[in-house]
Amino acid sequence: MANWWELDDYAGWDTLGEGEGQQYGVNETRAIQANVDLRSIMTFRSLMNNTATVKLLTATKDDYGTVTEVESIRFGNMPCRIQPMSGREQAIYGSEREVSTHKMFCEGKYKTIVVHDTVTDADGNVYNIKLVRDIDRMGHHMEVEMQLISPSIA
């Protein structure tokens, strides 16, 4: 029996129909052929419990030399998971580089996120990005270390 992590694409496995003659998509067919129980799969996408907007800050000079900063949206409504870093993680990473307070996980297709972009989550919290890593170097998911700069007032 194959393991779920040996399959290359998990998208679309959130629901499973019952009954004879059930029509399956490509992913489900691959899983059935590999003898994987679809009900036991916890997809990476199912762990994404938040959405965020990633913004890029660019500076331009006008004809008089005045610098104007403009925010543009790099990714909007991006599925992600944002969680506070543990005290131990903050102590370890803080001694090696800038202070990070939160970690964001997102799909590998968002690999163009860079340091100095800002993230605004669905609750209105704003973060500065401090470090972006493709942990497995295979493009499956990104880990983004961030510093909370403006908590939402709820």
Side-chain angles (χ1 to χ4, degrees):
M1 179 177 235
N3 295 312
W4 65 267
W5 58 83
E6 294 173 7
L7 302 172
D8 59 348
D9 188 6
Y10 318 125
W13 287 1
D14 296 330
T15 60
L16 176 64
E18 297 291 333
E20 196 167 313
Q22 172 68 41
Q23 296 294 313
Y24 295 102
V26 173
N27 295 333
E28 290 84 355
T29 303
R30 245 186 281 155
I32 291 166
Q33 290 169 347
N35 197 23
V36 173
D37 182 4
L38 296 178
R39 292 168 291 220
S40 68
I41 296 175
M42 177 178 275
T43 65
F44 180 76
R45 182 172 289 176
S46 71
L47 298 173
M48 305 296 106
N49 62 356
N50 205 337
T51 58
T53 300
V54 178
K55 295 180 182 177
L56 167 68
L57 186 63
T58 55
T60 58
K61 285 186 180 180
D62 64 11
D63 295 339
Y64 303 103
T66 306
V67 177
T68 306
E69 292 182 340
V70 177
E71 274 189 337
S72 58
I73 295 176
R74 188 184 294 266
F75 299 109
N77 203 26
M78 178 183 74
C80 63
R81 181 177 195 90
I82 298 175
Q83 61 190 39
M85 293 175 74
S86 70
R88 182 170 187 233
E89 282 179 309
Q90 288 183 32
I92 291 171
Y93 295 136
S95 66
E96 296 174 2
R97 50 190 171 267
E98 296 184 54
V99 175
S100 297
T101 59
H102 289 73
K103 194 177 279 191
M104 177 175 73
F105 300 89
C106 62
E107 294 181 56
K109 66 183 178 182
Y110 299 108
K111 64 184 175 190
T112 57
I113 295 172
V114 295
V115 174
H116 304 300
D117 282 353
T118 59
V119 174
T120 305
D121 67 16
D123 295 329
N125 298 309
V126 180
Y127 308 87
N128 273 340
I129 295 179
K130 299 298 182 180
L131 180 70
V132 180
R133 297 185 294 174
D134 179 0
I135 286 297
D136 62 1
R137 296 183 184 197
M138 296 181 71
H140 180 264
H141 73 278
M142 306 297 293
E143 278 189 22
V144 181
E145 292 180 18
M146 308 180 300
Q147 180 180 25
L148 179 64
I149 56 171
S150 179
S152 66
I153 301 172

